């Protein structure tokens, strides 16, 4: 398997998957290996390479070798700590996807989970700062808790002098929208092949997740009780998976699917197939000094006072976030504005503060 061929060709789009041997990482890598092939075929002379990194050498070597046998033009390499693998995986990477970390296990509190994963994400942030072009790389964070770890990653990169890091770091919250779409279709009893699109904003855990059913086609046919039940199911859908796995795992396949959809958009952008992408991503609205991320961020910040990070529709170019769109928030109905959003803001502010305080106390 050629490990470093990708570094010799300026027409290569390189994706580094950090934590590629885990439950999300392997599934995500499979979806990227198979799903990105059409993009390569649309762009003659281009190439996509996926560098898979994990601390478990045997697992990542096995997964990458297995994937390399699949007949698509997306090439694969594996990297582990014992051969300067993190540096090699990150060098010349334009897109870094981070599913690294541990899942929540029985008996583990959210604080326990955060403490472990914050150390992992901070270390990866240091490596990204050392080996990537921070003016252009896109960093997509999957590791939980996203609400707290995105601030950890942004501030860790900023500590290395990357003042524009927030424009290039994205928390992936699309699983909430994927679930909302699926659950609404179930609730409506629809037999249509078209999935209803449900805008979801806020954060990525519990009641920080705000499904905007008022702007979802067909949702107005549901009774108020059915809508409340649907909101709760979207907010706590991850618990269904944990319970179904009897505490032995969490949502890996559905998360990998959602993450692969987003990553494909960034690959399409990096390859020059589109001038910009549009998606809902968890981003910093303004920094501690009050500087706005991009045009439009002020409108959103005014609607969600007290939080510096929020999952909201954004436009992204090769230079990072270029615009923040607050139209969905402006169109919320009375229940969403008065009931769902205040709870989201309160709890999200606490999550963000936990991440910032961890960074301040970290060595």
């Amino acid at each position: 398997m050629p490990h470093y061929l990708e570094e010799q060709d300026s027409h290569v789009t390189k994706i580094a998957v950090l934590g590629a041997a885990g439950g999300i990482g392997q599934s995500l890598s499979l979806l990227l290996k198979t799903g990105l092939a059409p993009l390569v075929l649309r762009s003659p002379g281009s190439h996509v390479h996926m560098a898979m990194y994990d601390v478990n050498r045997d697992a990542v070597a096995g997964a990458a070798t297995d994937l390399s046998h699949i007949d698509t033009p997306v090439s694969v390499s594996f990297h582990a700590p014992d051969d300067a693998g993190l540096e090699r995986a990150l060098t010349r990477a334009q897109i870094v996807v981070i599913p690294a970390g541990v899942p929540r296990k029985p008996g583990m509190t959210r604080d326990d989970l955060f403490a472990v994963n914050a150390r992992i994400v901070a270390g990866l942030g240091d490596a990204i700062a050392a080996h990537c072009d921070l003016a252009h790389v896109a960093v997509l964070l999957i590791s939980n808790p996203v609400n707290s770890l995105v601030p950890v990653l942004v501030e860790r990169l900023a500590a290395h002098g990357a003042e524009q890091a927030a424009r290039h770091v994205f928390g992936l919250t699309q699983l909430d929208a994927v679930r909302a779409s699926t659950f609404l279709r179930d609730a409506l009893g629809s037999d249509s092949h078209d999935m209803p699109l449900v805008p979801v904003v806020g954060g990525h855990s519990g009641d920080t997740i705000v499904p905007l059913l008022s702007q979802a086609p067909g949702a107005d046919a549901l009774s108020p009780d059915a809508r409340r039940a649907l909101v709760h199911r979207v907010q706590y859908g991850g618990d269904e998976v944990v319970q179904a796995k009897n505490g032995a795992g969490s949502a890996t396949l559905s998360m990998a699917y959602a993450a692969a959809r987003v990553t494909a958009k960034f690959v399409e952008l990096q390859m020059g197939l589109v001038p910009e992408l549009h998606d809902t991503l968890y981003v910093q609205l303004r920094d501690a000094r009050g500087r706005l991320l991009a045009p439009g961020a002020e409108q959103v910040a005014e609607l969600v006072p007290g939080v510096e990070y929020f999952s909201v529709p954004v436009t992204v170019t090769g230079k990072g976030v270029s615009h923040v769109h607050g139209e969905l928030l402006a169109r919320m109905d009375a229940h969403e504005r008065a009931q769902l959003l205040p709870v989201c803001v309160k709890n999200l502010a606490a999550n963000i503060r936990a991440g910032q305080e961890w960074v301040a106390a970290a060595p």
Side-chain angles (χ1 to χ4, degrees):
M1 182 188 305
H3 283 239
Y4 311 116
L5 176 64
E6 76 278 2
E7 296 183 10
Q8 303 168 12
D9 189 344
S10 61
H11 297 289
V12 169
T13 297
K14 182 178 178 181
I15 311 162
V17 181
L18 309 184
I24 295 173
Q26 288 201 36
S27 300
L28 172 61
S29 298
L30 171 62
L31 291 170
L32 295 178
K33 169 68 171 162
T34 55
L36 295 179
L39 298 183
V40 179
L41 298 176
R42 281 172 54 192
S43 182
S46 67
H47 184 69
V48 173
H49 180 84
M50 180 169 58
M52 299 172 62
Y53 171 83
D54 203 280
V55 295
N56 186 334
R57 180 182 180 82
D58 290 344
V60 74
T65 302
D66 200 356
L67 289 178
S68 73
H69 293 184
I70 296 175
D71 59 346
T72 74
V74 178
S75 62
V76 178
S77 61
F78 67 83
H79 309 268
D82 58 359
D83 63 351
L86 188 52
E87 176 182 353
R88 293 181 174 181
L90 289 171
T91 298
R92 297 194 183 183
Q94 298 104 327
I95 302 166
V96 179
V97 191
I98 307 178
V102 299
R104 188 174 175 184
K105 301 174 183 176
M108 177 182 283
T109 67
R110 290 191 180 275
D111 288 342
D112 295 334
L113 177 68
F114 170 64
V116 173
N117 286 348
R119 288 193 294 272
I120 294 171
V121 167
L124 295 177
D126 293 340
I128 291 168
H131 305 300
C132 293
D133 178 359
L134 295 179
H136 298 98
V137 67
V139 185
L140 315 183
L141 184 68
I142 299 171
S143 312
N144 269 318
V146 166
N147 293 356
S148 300
L149 291 181
V150 168
V152 168
L153 185 55
V154 167
E155 299 200 13
R156 195 75 171 206
L157 291 174
H160 289 276
E163 291 194 0
Q164 295 297 313
R167 294 170 62 91
H168 300 271
V169 176
F170 308 90
L172 300 195
T173 61
Q174 275 70 19
L175 177 54
D176 303 320
V178 167
R179 283 177 172 148
S181 175
T182 302
F183 298 164
L184 175 57
R185 186 174 184 272
D186 291 347
L188 294 174
S190 172
D191 58 1
S192 169
H193 294 301
D194 295 327
M195 300 299 294
L197 298 178
V198 183
V200 182
V201 298
H204 186 51
S205 67
D207 49 20
T208 69
I209 300 168
V210 181
L212 300 179
L213 293 178
S214 64
Q215 298 173 56
D220 56 352
L222 300 176
S223 70
D225 286 345
R227 288 182 63 167
R228 281 192 289 272
L230 179 56
V231 167
H232 185 273
R233 190 182 181 199
V234 173
Q235 291 177 330
Y236 296 94
D239 292 350
E240 290 186 20
V241 181
V242 172
Q243 291 167 8
K245 294 184 178 181
N246 199 24
S250 57
T252 54
L253 301 177
S254 54
M255 182 66 246
Y257 166 77
R261 286 194 356 185
V262 181
T263 304
K265 289 188 175 184
F266 277 88
V267 173
E268 194 174 24
L269 176 66
Q270 181 60 43
M271 294 177 71
L273 295 173
V274 295
E276 59 188 27
L277 69 83
H278 305 273
D279 213 329
T280 299
L281 298 159
Y282 184 70
V283 298
Q284 186 182 49
L285 300 175
R286 64 169 80 234
D287 63 20
R289 286 183 278 181
R291 293 177 301 184
L292 295 169
L293 173 70
E298 184 171 11
Q299 177 192 13
V300 176
E302 289 175 352
L303 291 169
V304 291
V307 295
E308 297 170 22
Y309 294 80
F310 204 76
S311 185
V312 66
V314 294
T315 298
V316 182
T317 69
K319 296 181 179 180
V321 177
S322 64
H323 201 94
V324 177
H325 303 276
E327 295 84 356
L328 289 176
L329 294 176
R331 295 197 299 264
M332 289 185 297
D333 68 14
H335 174 73
E336 293 161 350
R337 186 182 299 275
Q339 301 296 323
L340 299 183
L341 192 62
V343 176
C344 164
V345 168
K346 177 184 176 181
N347 293 327
L348 188 54
N351 296 159
I352 294 166
R353 187 163 56 250
Q356 294 169 331
E357 290 174 351
W358 186 93
V359 173

